[in-house]
Amino acid sequence: MNVDDALRWDGELTLTRHDPETGTTFIIRVDSLRHGRSAGGTRAAHYGSPTAALEDAGRLAGAMTLKMAVSNLPMGGGKSVIALPAPRQDIDAATWNRILSLHAENIDRLNGAYWTGPDVNTSSADMDILGDTTNFVFGRSIDRGGAGSSALNTAVGVFEAMKATAQFRGLGDLDGLTVLVQGLGAVGGHLATMAAQAGARLLVTDVNSERIAWAQDFGCSPVSPAEVTATPCDIFAPCAMGGVIDSTIARQLPASAVVGAANNTLADDEAGSVLRDRDVLYAPDFVTNAGGAFHLVGHEVLGWDADTVAGHIRGIGQTLTQVYEISDAEGVSTDTAARTLARRRTDSLEAVAV
Ligand code: NAD
Ligand code: PPY
């Protein structure tokens, strides 16, 4: 995408700042403030260009709006991207601390229109550091007054989504099914454990060999990262980065269903329709991975206890079943159906002043 197209975005607000000292570009994109202040995590990554980072922030912020809406959470969507000068593992501690403190200043300047939280390459410990400068932070450590990591509850939600999808697709329960997990990080690691405990046969892939060794210890079989979308399985679970399934991959993906955590799994608009035409049941990511948002917004905004959060996460399976029913009734892709459900769930709400 060129910079003109990345700027032709229909969200509400973009903040950018460049730090010449570290070579870091900071982007915050607020997609929607219609139903409350916006929220979404901070992603730190090394991008090919600032334009790629800007585009990613916009797409991720849009997904947060859909996630909040379909989950009946009273916030809008936003996201931060910290475009690093090098891969995260090559950034030293002093540089990282400077980056976090500048990012916190940026967030604070938005006066609460945008609340951040953890995402890829940022942790609860990083949220604690942001919290030294700004209050607009979810997911600080529990001993610093936050809700802590959302990863386990995100994985629980994806697991609920997987069970509901297997049932709807006529595959029964997970016992004996082959589940392929891409990315054994904070979410994918928990998800692989839960699926294995439910009797699934686990195939796993990660670019980090230590994570593969960890999974082999409980019986998972490794698949090369390059082979992941060509490997036959019942359920493919993308839990690494987004954009894994474009329309070309959708035309040959050898799976019966796709249920993962990765935000923006589909790389283009056509991919969802291609999957539907091939009878591959796609569980839209902004529905499946809402467990993290229930955890953070539930505990820190709505005052829910752990049981209430767990009840809402169990509801992800029912929301997905509704999405599948809309998709069948209206003859549209499940991605389109989930957007329809998100719109229906918010249409009746009044706009709020932020
Ligand atoms: P993570 O960084 O802890 O884990 C990602 C894993 O993917 C790592 O183990 C990494 O080595 C691996 N990976 C990276 N590129 C890969 C590739 N090409 N092939 C195979 N493996 C690869 O991140 P996470 O917190 O587990 O999040 C995973 C995804 O879920 C992200 O897209 C994130 O946006 C999304 N998500 C996470 C949460 C949450 O609560 N953590 C909530 C909603 C959505
Ligand atoms: C996500 O769910 O993709 C996130 O970015 C996590 C999150 C959820 C809600 C508020 C802040 C961060």
Side-chain angles (χ1 to χ4, degrees):
M1 182 177 279
N2 64 40
V3 71
D4 290 346
D5 288 338
L7 286 170
R8 259 182 228 114
W9 177 67
D10 63 357
E12 294 208 22
L13 183 147
T14 300
L15 177 153
T16 68
R17 180 177 179 184
H18 183 71
D19 176 37
E21 189 174 318
T22 58
T24 304
T25 302
F26 300 87
I27 299 162
I28 299 175
R29 287 197 122 172
V30 171
D31 179 70
S32 169
L33 293 167
R34 190 176 154 75
H35 300 297
R37 293 161 172 235
S38 73
T42 295
R43 175 168 298 197
H46 183 49
Y47 285 84
S49 68
T51 307
L54 187 65
E55 189 206 354
D56 202 26
R59 279 173 47 82
L60 289 164
M64 287 306 304
T65 299
L66 290 165
K67 189 178 317 191
M68 298 294 186
V70 86
S71 306
N72 290 319
L73 286 168
M75 297 198 82
K79 205 88 173 189
S80 310
V81 163
I82 300 179
L84 299 169
R88 172 68 187 92
Q89 66 269 20
D90 299 336
I91 306 285
D92 63 51
T95 305
W96 181 241
N97 280 333
R98 176 182 167 84
I99 287 170
L100 287 179
S101 111
L102 291 175
H103 182 44
E105 269 179 33
N106 299 339
I107 293 169
D108 209 55
R109 284 176 182 161
L110 296 177
N111 281 322
Y114 166 71
W115 284 66
T116 199
D119 192 68
V120 175
N121 281 327
T122 59
S123 62
S124 282
D126 296 323
M127 297 305 114
D128 291 344
I129 296 172
L130 296 179
D132 290 337
T133 303
T134 180
N135 286 326
F136 307 121
V137 182
F138 292 131
R140 284 169 297 138
S141 321
I142 291 168
D143 58 10
R144 296 280 293 267
S149 170
S150 54
L152 176 58
N153 267 334
T154 301
V156 171
V158 178
F159 184 61
E160 291 298 327
M162 205 176 260
K163 289 188 290 184
T165 303
Q167 285 296 337
F168 199 88
R169 184 64 180 67
L171 300 170
D173 62 25
L174 298 184
D175 194 8
L177 295 186
T178 300
V179 173
L180 168 47
V181 179
Q182 178 189 41
L184 293 166
V187 179
H190 286 304
L191 180 66
T193 313
M194 288 183 247
Q197 276 165 0
R201 172 179 165 254
L202 264 291
L203 304 178
V204 293
T205 188
D206 200 293
V207 289
N208 179 338
S209 55
E210 284 173 20
R211 300 303 296 160
I212 294 292
W214 168 81
Q216 282 180 294
D217 276 352
F218 61 94
C220 301
S221 306
V223 167
S224 138
E227 294 298 314
V228 68
T229 55
T231 301
C233 58
D234 294 302
I235 302 177
F236 174 44
C239 296
M241 302 305 275
V244 185
I245 303 177
D246 62 16
S247 44
T248 307
I249 289 172
R251 273 188 199 92
Q252 56 75 34
L253 189 77
S256 299
V258 178
V259 190
N263 282 303
N264 297 333
T265 292
L266 302 183
D268 57 49
D269 291 342
E270 209 191 331
S273 306
V274 175
L275 290 175
R276 178 173 193 276
D277 291 347
R278 291 189 54 234
D279 211 15
V280 178
L281 190 56
Y282 168 66
D285 49 74
F286 59 85
V287 181
T288 64
N289 70 20
F294 282 125
H295 176 88
L296 297 172
V297 179
H299 281 303
E300 297 196 34
V301 177
L302 301 170
W304 292 348
D305 62 15
D307 283 348
T308 308
V309 170
H312 282 274
I313 292 174
R314 275 194 300 279
I316 288 175
Q318 287 137 33
T319 297
L320 256 187
T321 302
Q322 265 184 277
V323 166
Y324 297 149
E325 286 166 356
I326 294 170
S327 163
D328 282 352
E330 300 187 3
V332 296
S333 72
T334 54
D335 184 67
T336 300
R339 288 166 194 265
T340 301
L341 183 60
R343 206 168 39 247
R344 284 185 194 157
R345 286 186 170 182
T346 50
D347 268 356
S348 55
L349 302 176
E350 297 288 322
V352 298
V354 170

